[in-house]
């Protein structure tokens, strides 16, 4: 997979190193000469250019990229990069970093963003996930289609404990995608029983989250 990362700061370089370890091709783009630290990620391609300009993105070959990551520290830059990547180059997947939570509402499909990652939101979600049993926690938002990745840890007295996954009347637009149990990741089948302490991961439309939470935690 070929990935272009706009923003070669600490975040961008860390993403690049991880992707390279997983066997992907990575291009880092930044317009600050001080950010071009080739020795830090020597296996990546580097481009000193303004990722908000069409000429730069042409040079970067964005039309050949499977994913673009807008990871700069400036939300305006990340939005422009996302919009150009999606509308001008048809990049299949655009991931954007949100630096300031007040700007979160902008990072949606209208700006070409498929997945928006807000560090404050993610950290707060992980804190909630670590301490919450029986509460639905939103871990990530997929802006395209208004779907979210949500998690709930089943309490001892949850009404679905002991039921098979296929017999639970899950809401429309909610899909159980994984069960985390005793350190294992289970891909659920209709016959899998649900147990107390299971962490259930769903991809769900935000409109059915309340219904899903009620189903899993009503007494």
């Amino acid at each position: 997979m070929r990935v272009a990362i706009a923003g070669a700061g600490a975040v961008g370089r860390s993403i690049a190193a991880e992707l390279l370890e997983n066997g992907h091709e990575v291009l880092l783009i930044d317009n600050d000469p001080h950010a071009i630290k080739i020795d830090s990620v020597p296996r990546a391609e580097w481009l000193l250019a303004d990722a908000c300009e069409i000429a730069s993105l042409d040079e970067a070959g964005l039309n050949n990229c499977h994913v673009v990551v807008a990871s700069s520290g400036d939300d305006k830059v990340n939005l422009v990069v996302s919009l150009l990547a999606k509308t001008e180059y048809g990049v299949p997947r655009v991931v954007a970093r949100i630096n300031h939570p007040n700007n979160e509402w902008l990072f949606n499909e209208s700006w070409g963003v498929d997945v928006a990652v807000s560090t404050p939101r993610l950290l707060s979600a992980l804190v909630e996930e670590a301490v919450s049993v029986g509460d639905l926690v939103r871990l990530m938002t997929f802006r395209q289609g208004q779907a979210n990745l949500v998690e709930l840890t089943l309490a001892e007295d949850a009404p679905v404990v002991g039921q098979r996954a296929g017999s639970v009347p899950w809401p429309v637009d909610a899909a159980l995608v994984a069960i985390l149990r005793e350190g294992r990741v289970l891909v659920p089948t209709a016959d899998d029983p649900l147990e107390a302490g299971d962490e259930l991961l769903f991809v769900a439309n935000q409109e059915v989250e309340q219904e899903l939470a009620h189903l899993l935690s009503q007494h």
Side-chain angles (χ1 to χ4, degrees):
M1 190 168 64
R2 182 167 177 79
V3 183
I5 300 174
V11 172
R13 294 196 305 272
S14 296
I15 296 169
E18 189 76 20
L19 290 171
L20 286 163
E21 283 297 315
N22 292 332
H24 303 297
E25 298 177 20
V26 177
L27 169 65
L28 281 159
I29 309 169
D30 207 296
N31 65 348
D32 181 0
H34 296 100
I36 307 299
K37 300 178 179 180
I38 296 175
D39 290 344
S40 64
V41 194
R43 291 164 50 205
E45 299 173 42
W46 291 78
L47 179 62
L48 176 61
D50 186 346
C52 292
E53 295 184 358
I54 291 288
S56 300
L57 299 180
D58 284 344
E59 185 180 355
L62 235 65
N63 54 308
N64 295 319
C65 290
H66 303 92
V67 181
V68 165
V69 181
S71 70
S72 83
D74 187 327
D75 284 344
K76 295 187 295 294
V77 169
N78 291 344
L79 285 170
V80 171
V81 170
S82 297
L83 185 63
L84 291 175
K86 184 64 71 175
T87 60
E88 296 294 325
Y89 299 93
V91 175
R93 190 163 185 81
V94 176
V95 180
R97 170 189 176 190
I98 305 171
N99 294 279
H100 300 290
N102 289 345
N103 296 330
E104 188 172 345
W105 66 278
L106 288 165
F107 285 75
N108 56 36
E109 65 273 13
S110 298
W111 280 92
V113 178
D114 295 308
V115 179
V117 180
S118 168
T119 302
R121 178 181 287 278
L122 184 58
L123 288 174
S124 64
L126 291 173
V127 169
E128 290 181 45
E129 189 271 338
V131 300
S132 301
V133 173
D135 294 324
L136 198 70
V137 177
R138 184 182 295 177
L139 297 177
M140 184 177 291
T141 298
F142 303 98
R143 289 295 180 182
Q144 189 122 357
Q146 298 298 309
N148 300 313
L149 178 66
V150 297
E151 181 270 353
L152 183 138
T153 300
L154 287 179
E156 293 281 347
D157 58 351
V160 298
V161 168
Q163 294 188 38
R164 298 187 183 277
S167 67
V168 178
W170 305 117
V172 175
D173 292 333
L176 176 61
V177 294
I179 300 172
L180 309 185
R181 180 183 297 157
E182 297 177 351
R184 298 172 57 213
V185 179
L186 307 177
V187 178
T189 67
D191 291 330
D192 282 329
L194 301 175
E195 300 178 4
D198 281 353
E199 288 188 55
L200 307 183
L201 293 175
F202 296 86
V203 173
N205 187 297
Q206 60 186 19
E207 294 180 358
V208 303
E209 286 183 9
Q210 188 172 355
E211 181 183 350
L212 184 61
H214 181 70
L215 174 68
L216 294 170
S217 57
Q218 64 182 331
H219 303 299

